[in-house]
Amino acid sequence: MVFDLTGIRVLYVEDEETLRGLIAEVIADEGPEVVTAEDGLRALEVLEKEKIDVILSDVRMPHMD
């Protein structure tokens, strides 16, 4: 089954910059818009300002998980 993910906004939270860029690109290739954050604090800032449909997050990051 194939899903159309166009119009979906994903917040991907990952502290490792290389991995964050690579995974964000893979996710975006499936259709959704991807917003990234480098830690939990930045993710909260994004959530306050933007409509996000899905959050994918690392669990151990600096500043805030």
Side-chain angles (χ1 to χ4, degrees), residues 2-61:
V2 176
F3 296 97
D4 181 11
L5 301 176
T6 305
I8 301 294
R9 299 194 76 217
V10 174
L11 172 58
Y12 179 59
V13 188
E14 169 62 58
D15 59 318
E16 293 184 39
E17 185 176 357
T18 302
L19 186 58
R20 185 172 61 244
L22 177 65
I23 299 299
E25 187 175 316
V26 169
I27 295 167
D29 284 346
E30 295 301 318
E33 178 182 348
V34 180
V35 179
T36 62
E38 62 275 4
D39 59 41
L41 289 176
R42 176 68 182 124
L44 288 176
E45 291 174 5
V46 170
L47 289 169
E48 287 178 355
K49 297 176 184 175
E50 300 189 38
K51 179 188 177 297
I52 299 294
D53 300 299
V54 177
I55 301 171
L56 298 174
S57 180
D58 189 0
V59 292
R60 295 202 175 149
M61 297 174 285

